[in-house]
Amino acid sequence: MSVNTICGHQNNTIKFKFRQTLTALGPILITISLGLAEGYSAILLPQLEEDETWNVSLELSSWIASIATLPMSSGCIVGGFLMEMIGRRMLHLLTCIPCLMGWLLIAFSGHSIELLLAGRFLTGMCVGILSPVLLVYVAETSDPSFRGFLLPGVSFALNLGIAIAHIMGTYLKWKLVASLACTYPLLCFTFMLFVPESPTYLIKQGKIELATKGFMWLRSDSEESRSELNILISKQQHEATQPKKTFGKHLQIFKKPEFYKPLIILLVFFSTMQWSGNNPIAFYTINILKEVLGDSLNPYTSMLIMDAVRIVGSIIGCFGQRYMPRRLLMVLSCLGTLVSLLVLSIYSYLNINIAWLAVLCLVSYIFFVNSGLLPLPYSMSGELFAQSSRGLGSGIVTLFNMILMFVLVKITPALFSELHTGGAFLLFGVSCLVGMVALIWLLPETKDKSLHEIEDFFRGTGRGKSQSEPNNLSIQ
């Protein structure tokens, strides 16, 4: 093979990876806005508490923090339904509008707690609506080898949004932060105007010619791409020839292994991630830092350090999912998270006054959570479910995740008050340990597998497990 041929192949590969990255940029940009919504309460509450005109009580502060998570659960149902009705791309475009409205309500709320809560509610609703579709769209528009890099890129964007909220909130007033947050839904809307719809969705709608055009634009007109496209088309044509299902027949999907196995795995994975304390700590960062550090270090400075580590962990997670087996990354992330939480618990119980140790443990916790435990369940929700049930499956697990997030964020002040800081960290650590043990048994290896190969594996019609896959995937 000549040097020119090799260089031409490399340039061609770079061109299509650039197109897939460009397509994922819209979801990534709106995810930054969703991260801003999650991290916003950490800078909003301290500023409101310092402003006597607001007179924020403990109960009101918990509602200001958790109101954004309240509509996420219903938003997941709506998002999972709409992504199959109007398409992945169109759902992104439409959701940018209420997201923009939510930030504008916060920015121009004046001293109205009602407008502030309404704005938080709207931005939270958008998190719920988009959560099922973000990763599905990215998974369906990227090739298997590059999917492991782009999917965790969405989780990185979430952490970047949280960090941006914290950085801006350290130096700017909360209303100005909300005004600047409007940039991201506007940018997402602009980018999504120029990228194709998911070929998988178009095939399900019977738009084969348009799907083929979009697939080749994203993935090249190679023999491997054509083979994968033909498999997707044949699967959908087979589905189309089946008799129209009644409601009872639709419920039978829960008996299919290609649906209930990924569902159980992801419910366990999201439970492990949530009960390891990721969102409670993200929503109440300043309060927790004040409790752990006392007057030893500036909590805002410590928060920015943790945000930097959160971003570094997310970047490591992107490369980890690209080059490491998913199962190994999960175990390493859980072990690091577990040790960090146990040391924090001991530190709090013994009332040790060593600020650097507390910061080190918090930094270690943030790093390990964001390098694997946080991005992996989100990434795998976009790739584990079968083509015919991807919208339903992603909607259910995201709904479960959002309900759990709301409950945990709402009870976090009471949790730290009743169990004290050491007890709360111990609870998170034990939850991480239990979840890790369950996932070692349940989680399959999906690195570099195409979506139809993963589907066939769960159905039991694949060509067998690879050596890196668990020996006992079948769930009774």
Side-chain angles (χ1 to χ4, degrees):
M1 185 181 290
S2 68
V3 173
N4 288 336
T5 302
I6 295 173
C7 291
H9 175 72
Q10 289 177 339
N11 290 335
N12 198 47
T13 301
I14 292 171
K15 178 177 74 172
F16 289 106
K17 285 193 179 348
F18 173 76
R19 288 181 178 179
Q20 292 170 35
T21 304
L22 184 66
T23 304
L25 198 54
I28 286 172
L29 283 166
I30 196 63
T31 304
I32 293 176
S33 179
L34 307 186
L36 273 162
E38 285 197 26
Y40 192 64
S41 63
I43 59 101
L44 173 64
L45 291 176
Q47 291 192 30
L48 290 181
E49 289 167 0
E50 293 171 3
D51 188 344
E52 295 180 358
T53 59
W54 282 91
N55 191 27
V56 177
S57 64
L58 179 64
E59 177 66 16
L60 180 58
S61 66
S62 72
W63 275 110
I64 292 173
S66 62
I67 192 70
T69 64
L70 185 60
M72 289 181 187
S73 54
S74 57
C76 292
I77 299 173
V78 174
F81 175 74
L82 287 179
M83 67 185 282
E84 300 296 347
M85 293 295 296
I86 64 174
R88 288 72 157 131
R89 175 176 169 270
M90 182 57 69
L91 185 55
H92 277 84
L93 287 168
L94 292 179
T95 311
C96 287
I97 298 171
C99 185
L100 177 62
M101 289 173 59
W103 285 117
L104 288 173
L105 280 174
I106 296 171
F108 295 99
S109 59
H111 283 84
S112 170
I113 190 65
E114 290 80 10
L115 288 179
L116 176 60
L117 291 175
R120 292 278 293 155
F121 186 91
L122 268 180
T123 55
M125 182 187 71
C126 294
V127 175
I129 290 174
L130 286 175
S131 290
V133 70
L134 288 167
L135 294 159
V136 168
Y137 180 72
V138 174
E140 291 178 347
T141 54
S142 55
D143 66 57
S145 63
F146 202 43
R147 191 176 68 232
F149 185 78
L150 290 178
L151 283 175
V154 179
S155 297
F156 165 75
L158 187 72
N159 287 325
L160 181 61
I162 293 172
I164 289 172
H166 292 169
I167 293 168
M168 291 197 298
T170 302
Y171 303 103
L172 305 175
K173 295 294 184 182
W174 58 272
K175 290 182 181 178
L176 180 56
V177 175
S179 299
L180 295 173
C182 295
T183 306
Y184 296 99
L186 288 172
L187 285 173
C188 173
F189 189 90
T190 302
F191 273 97
M192 294 302 291
L193 290 173
F194 300 100
V195 295
E197 177 57 271
S198 158
T200 303
Y201 169 75
L202 292 173
I203 290 170
K204 292 172 76 172
Q205 297 298 307
K207 301 175 181 178
I208 305 299
E209 185 176 343
L210 194 58
T212 302
K213 183 179 178 181
F215 194 91
M216 297 306 162
W217 185 85
L218 288 163
R219 302 280 294 277
S220 81
D221 191 4
S222 65
E223 183 178 343
E224 183 182 359
S225 296
R226 287 243 171 225
S227 175
E228 186 175 342
L229 177 63
N230 288 335
I231 291 172
L232 290 174
I233 293 172
S234 64
K235 282 178 179 291
Q236 185 54 40
Q237 288 175 339
H238 174 73
E239 289 283 336
T241 59
Q242 301 303 306
K244 193 170 182 179
K245 296 179 181 178
T246 62
F247 180 74
K249 290 286 186 181
H250 277 292
L251 291 179
Q252 289 184 3
I253 194 171
F254 287 90
K255 297 181 179 179
K256 295 183 177 180
E258 65 268 29
F259 184 79
Y260 73 74
K261 287 182 180 179
L263 183 65
I264 293 172
I265 291 167
L266 288 168
L267 290 179
V268 172
F269 216 152
F270 275 113
S271 295
T272 305
M273 184 265 286
Q274 289 292 351
W275 277 104
S276 294
N278 176 64
N279 281 298
I281 291 175
F283 272 73
Y284 294 98
T285 303
I286 293 293
N287 305 56
I288 292 171
L289 285 170
K290 286 179 179 178
E291 177 72 24
V292 173
L293 300 176
D295 298 325
S296 308
L297 288 174
N298 186 319
Y300 285 92
T301 302
S302 303
M303 178 181 66
L304 296 182
I305 292 172
M306 290 200 298
D307 285 337
V309 174
R310 183 180 280 113
I311 292 173
V312 171
S314 298
I315 294 173
I316 297 297
C318 290
F319 287 98
Q321 289 194 50
R322 176 67 180 86
Y323 296 107
M324 288 175 62
R326 305 280 200 270
R327 285 165 53 79
L328 176 60
L329 182 59
M330 179 275 295
V331 170
L332 292 176
S333 176
C334 285
L335 284 175
T337 301
L338 172 62
V339 171
S340 302
L341 287 167
L342 291 180
V343 175
L344 279 169
S345 178
I346 295 170
Y347 176 95
S348 298
Y349 270 124
L350 298 180
N351 199 24
I352 303 172
N353 190 23
I354 308 175
W356 66 264
L357 178 61
V359 172
L360 178 63
C361 290
L362 283 167
V363 163
S364 172
Y365 168 80
I366 294 294
F367 174 81
F368 282 108
V369 164
N370 287 279
S371 61
L373 193 52
L374 174 66
L376 275 171
Y378 285 105
S379 298
M380 299 187 86
S381 67
E383 63 182 10
L384 288 190
F385 288 107
Q387 177 180 339
S388 59
S389 58
R390 197 163 293 146
L392 175 63
S394 299
I396 290 174
V397 296
T398 311
L399 167 64
F400 173 80
N401 182 50
M402 295 306 179
I403 291 174
L404 199 52
M405 183 194 300
F406 169 73
V407 171
L408 279 168
V409 171
K410 186 69 177 70
I411 69 172
T412 291
L415 199 64
F416 275 81
S417 175
E418 294 297 322
L419 299 179
H420 304 292
T421 305
F425 284 136
L426 180 61
L427 174 63
F428 294 151
V430 171
S431 301
C432 182
L433 174 62
V434 172
M436 180 183 70
V437 172
L439 288 169
I440 289 173
W441 178 62
L442 293 171
L443 192 67
E445 186 54 64
T446 60
K447 183 179 181 295
D448 293 339
K449 294 185 181 294
S450 66
L451 297 180
H452 69 83
E453 285 177 322
I454 297 170
E455 178 180 343
D456 289 342
F457 174 78
F458 281 118
R459 186 182 285 120
T461 58
R463 286 176 285 182
K465 302 181 182 76
S466 68
Q467 292 180 350
S468 60
E469 288 171 343
N471 296 322
N472 54 348
L473 181 63
S474 58
I475 306 166
Q476 301 300 322

